[in-house]
Every structure is written in C-alpha cells, then in structure tokens.
Amino acid sequence: MKTDTMNTLAPIEAYLDFSSPYGYLASEWIEDLAAQHGRSVNWHAVLLGVVFQSAELRPLMSYPIKSVYSVLDFERSARFDGTPFKMPERFPISTHNAARVFWWLKERDAAEAARWLHHGLRAYFVEGIDIGDTAQLRDLATRFGLDADEAEAAWSDPHWKARLKQANDDAVAAGVFGAPYFIIDGEPFWGNDRRLQIERRLSQGPF
Amino acid sequence: MKTDTMNTLAPIEAYLDFSSPYGYLASEWIEDLAAQHGRSVNWHAVLLGVVFQSAELRPLMSYPIKSVYSVLDFERSARFDGTPFKMPERFPISTHNAARVFWWLKERDAAEAARWLHHGLRAYFVEGIDIGDTAQLRDLATRFGLDADEAEAAWSDPHWKARLKQANDDAVAAGVFGAPYFIIDGEPFWGNDRRLQIERRLSQGPF
C-alpha cells in the first residue's frame, strides 16, 4: 500500500533562477526532503527579472540598505545549512542561456535537466564560474558531458528562447514572485527559510 | 560566575512597528529565548513607513502579487509558531500614537513599555482592535491601566513626537530596513524566520 500511496502524491513544483542564492541553498535539500515523503521535485528554471516585473518588484541588490544585509544573510544562511557557498564576484547575472539549456534537456530527460540545474548552481555559487558568460557556460556544458556547440545551438534557438519565455509566463500565472518558490498540492511556500514549514506540510498535510 | 557572565552580555536590540505581523510573531518568543541565554531585549518601536523610505522599499501590501501570498504566510507562520493571530481587517495601519506612548512609558520604565508593546500588538493582531484609531487606542490605554487623557496628551506632545522621530532616525542609522529586526552584539537578523539562526547565535556565538 505504501507504494500505491506514494504514486498518488503530486510532485513539488519548484521555481528558481540560476542566479538566486536562496534558490541554490534550497536546491541542496528539497529533493531529499521530498523523497522522504514520497514526492519528486518538478523543477522550473525561470528568469526572476521577468517575474519581478510582473509583481512590480525590483531585484534584491537594487535596494541600497537591504542589499548589504542580504549578502551577509546569504553567507550566514549557507553556513547555517552547512552548504558550501562563495558569494560570486558578479551578482546577479543574466541566466537565460543556462535556463534555456535546462528546458532543452528537460524535454528529453527531466532527471538530466535537474542535474544540469545543480551543476549550474554549484558552478556559480561555489566555484565562482560566471554562467552568464557564454565562454564559461560552454566550458560548463562540456564538463557536464554535453557537446558545447550543441548546447550553444540550443540556447541560441528561437524554440528554446520561446520555451523559457513560456516558463516565465507560467510562473507568473502560478503566482510566483521570487525564488525559491515551491507549490505543494496548490499551496505556495516562498524562500529557503520556509524549510521547516515545508517539512511540516509534507509530514502532516495542511496545518 | 554565572551571574557575572550574564551581566556582561549586551541586550538584544529589537526593532518593530506595531503594525508588523512578523514583528508581532517574533515578539512572542524573543524575550524567553533571550532570557535563556542571559540576555534582555531592548525594544525600539519605530515606523516602518519612514524606515522603508530610507531603504527605498515599499510596504509589503503595496505589491499586488506578493501581498496575496503574504497574508497566507502571516496566518500559516502564526499556526506554525503556535501563536494566536487573526488578520486585522484594516492593515497596515498608522501606529505613530501607539509608538509615542511606548517611548513615553519607556523613559520612566522599560519593562512597562515592553508590556505596552505586547499589549498593543496582541490587541491589534489577536483581538482586531484598530490601534490606529484614537478612540480605540484610548480604550486600550485605559485597559492597560493608564489614564486615557494622560496617554493622549503624551502622543500629542511635540516632545514624544520628536522622540519617535529620533527613534526612526536611529533605526535607519543602525541599518534597519524591515521588522522584526534584531541586532545581537552588532550582528543583524531580519525576520521572524531567522529564529533558528538567532538561537544558534545566542548559544554558540558567531557561526
């Protein structure tokens, strides 16, 4: 019966931008937590800049006082979580190419797309690789086992540009206004700091 | 030696607006937590509207999509904390009079001012009393054991208006950009959701 029950549970819908520090931190624990409760994670790579416009928000780093605190909080939250983190020199960056590769991979294999997501997030937030730079993104694709020319062809392809645009529109329609943004059976949870509430939601249902 | 050690620990500096739901939630646990670690809490009642202007932020409820989520999150966070909470019909409200009474009381007795803070927050966020309304605030002062005329004289007095203005300026100078905002030995923590990090900070020191 356990297996049957597990099969009926919807995946956790998970939205982030490759340039979101809190998204990266949450990406390091959400899959294990989901699996403990018989769920998978359905990733959505989106562009926060687009989402912010719809929600009339501005990027975190554009706020003069809040941004100073935020960098301190990114680093402290990473230490609190026990997750490797090094504040990138260039932040935030444009992540449309990394996101288009994600959607290109996802069409053929969602698990491979999830691995690319982790690969890209760790490259940016641990190794300091600027995944907004096309040369560095090509190198990253190669290290991942992709053909760099094929990856670049994908992120330059109007089809995958349109796919990412659709993903942004879908996120806005789903109410997403930041990252990480999780939806569990229709209930939204925003932020790496909603971890304990998500744990309770998964183990007890709505509370 | 325990007592000596406790005496050397600085209070936790705590900033909030009487109209902050997350400030209210945190006000229900920070004093006990501080006391467990030999600290007191030094409260600062401020006006978030003023603080937001300095930080180029807007009130939470002014954001069309984020505000919908926020109300859901206020209520869920209260349930998660096990803290009574009822979303006020009018929100946010202007809390300058409640804050001026706080500073008036604090000059003569910090503990009484802290009790007023809890009294006002619970009135607004549990009983639905509109503490931005002068008639209701007078009633609340009476229930607290104050003379209502004396309380109103205080919140109308240029001296206590200036004191609140000074408190707002001090908060901005201290880097405050939201509520609740805690400073522990110079280290800032923003939000009810930084509770676990504050616990670790108090028990282990900087991490």
Side-chain angles (χ1 to χ4, degrees):
Chain A
M1 286 306 288
K2 175 93 176 155
T3 308
D4 285 354
T5 308
M6 285 170 63
N7 285 340
T8 66
L9 294 174
I12 297 174
E13 303 297 330
Y15 301 80
L16 57 62
D17 184 311
F18 275 91
S19 185
S20 164
Y22 297 123
Y24 157 66
L25 293 179
S27 74
E28 293 288 322
W29 54 261
I30 188 66
E31 288 172 338
D32 283 351
L33 180 64
Q36 286 163 25
H37 297 279
R39 304 220 189 211
S40 61
V41 172
N42 185 28
W43 289 107
H44 305 255
V46 298
L47 300 183
L48 270 188
V50 175
V51 167
F52 283 160
Q53 280 184 351
S54 291
E56 296 181 21
L57 292 158
R58 281 161 40 191
L60 196 49
M61 300 311 285
S62 74
Y63 295 105
I65 300 176
K66 193 174 183 178
S67 61
V68 174
Y69 172 84
S70 294
V71 172
L72 175 159
D73 191 64
F74 298 156
E75 294 172 334
R76 187 176 58 203
S77 294
R79 290 192 299 271
F80 184 79
D81 287 359
T83 300
F85 178 85
K86 190 170 147 283
M87 188 64 202
E89 284 186 29
R90 197 157 76 90
F91 174 82
I93 55 171
S94 181
T95 59
H96 49 280
N97 288 336
R100 288 173 193 154
V101 170
F102 169 87
W103 289 105
W104 168 58
L105 293 174
K106 193 174 181 185
E107 189 175 66
R108 67 186 191 207
D109 184 350
E112 190 182 8
R115 284 195 301 277
W116 169 253
L117 188 98
H118 293 302
H119 187 67
L121 288 165
R122 289 170 187 158
Y124 183 48
F125 287 113
V126 182
E127 298 180 74
I129 293 169
D130 183 348
I131 62 173
D133 175 83
T134 52
Q136 292 185 58
L137 191 60
R138 283 180 60 94
D139 285 349
L140 195 71
T142 304
R143 266 177 55 193
F144 187 70
L146 297 171
D147 180 280
D149 289 337
E150 210 184 343
E152 182 161 354
W155 79 57
S156 307
D157 186 333
H159 177 76
W160 300 111
K161 291 181 179 180
R163 182 65 191 86
L164 175 57
K165 191 174 177 312
Q166 182 65 51
N168 294 332
D169 291 346
D170 292 348
V172 169
V176 174
F177 61 85
Y181 198 92
F182 300 109
I183 302 179
I184 304 174
D185 296 341
E187 185 177 351
F189 295 84
W190 170 51
N192 181 59
D193 43 29
R194 287 298 173 274
R195 182 174 182 167
L196 294 184
Q197 294 192 17
I198 291 171
E199 285 182 3
R200 188 179 292 184
R201 177 64 173 78
L202 291 173
S203 49
Q204 301 182 4
F207 61 84
Chain B
M1 287 307 288
K2 175 95 176 154
T3 307
D4 285 355
T5 307
M6 285 170 63
N7 285 340
T8 66
L9 292 174
I12 296 175
E13 304 297 331
Y15 301 79
L16 55 63
D17 184 310
F18 275 90
S19 185
S20 164
Y22 297 122
Y24 158 65
L25 293 179
S27 75
E28 294 289 321
W29 54 260
I30 188 67
E31 287 172 338
D32 283 351
L33 180 63
Q36 285 163 26
H37 296 280
R39 305 222 189 209
S40 60
V41 172
N42 185 29
W43 289 107
H44 305 254
V46 298
L47 300 183
L48 270 188
V50 175
V51 167
F52 283 160
Q53 280 184 350
S54 290
E56 296 181 22
L57 292 158
R58 279 162 40 191
L60 197 48
M61 300 311 284
S62 74
Y63 295 106
I65 300 177
K66 193 174 182 177
S67 60
V68 174
Y69 172 85
S70 294
V71 173
L72 175 159
D73 191 64
F74 298 156
E75 295 172 334
R76 185 175 60 203
S77 294
R79 291 191 300 273
F80 184 79
D81 286 0
T83 301
F85 178 86
K86 190 169 147 285
M87 188 65 204
E89 284 185 31
R90 199 158 74 91
F91 174 81
I93 55 172
S94 181
T95 60
H96 48 279
N97 287 337
R100 288 173 193 153
V101 171
F102 169 87
W103 288 106
W104 168 57
L105 294 174
K106 193 174 180 186
E107 190 176 67
R108 66 187 192 206
D109 184 350
E112 190 182 7
R115 284 195 301 276
W116 169 254
L117 187 100
H118 292 302
H119 187 67
L121 289 166
R122 289 170 187 160
Y124 183 49
F125 286 113
V126 182
E127 299 180 72
I129 293 170
D130 184 348
I131 61 173
D133 175 83
T134 52
Q136 294 186 57
L137 191 61
R138 282 179 61 94
D139 285 349
L140 195 72
T142 304
R143 266 177 56 193
F144 187 71
L146 296 171
D147 180 279
D149 289 337
E150 209 183 346
E152 182 162 352
W155 79 58
S156 306
D157 186 331
H159 177 75
W160 299 111
K161 291 182 179 180
R163 182 65 191 85
L164 175 57
K165 190 175 178 311
Q166 182 65 50
N168 294 331
D169 291 346
D170 291 347
V172 169
V176 175
F177 60 85
Y181 198 92
F182 301 109
I183 302 179
I184 305 174
D185 296 340
E187 185 177 351
F189 294 84
W190 170 50
N192 182 58
D193 44 28
R194 287 298 172 273
R195 182 174 182 168
L196 294 183
Q197 293 192 18
I198 291 170
E199 285 182 3
R200 187 178 295 183
R201 178 62 172 78
L202 290 174
S203 49
Q204 302 182 4
F207 61 84

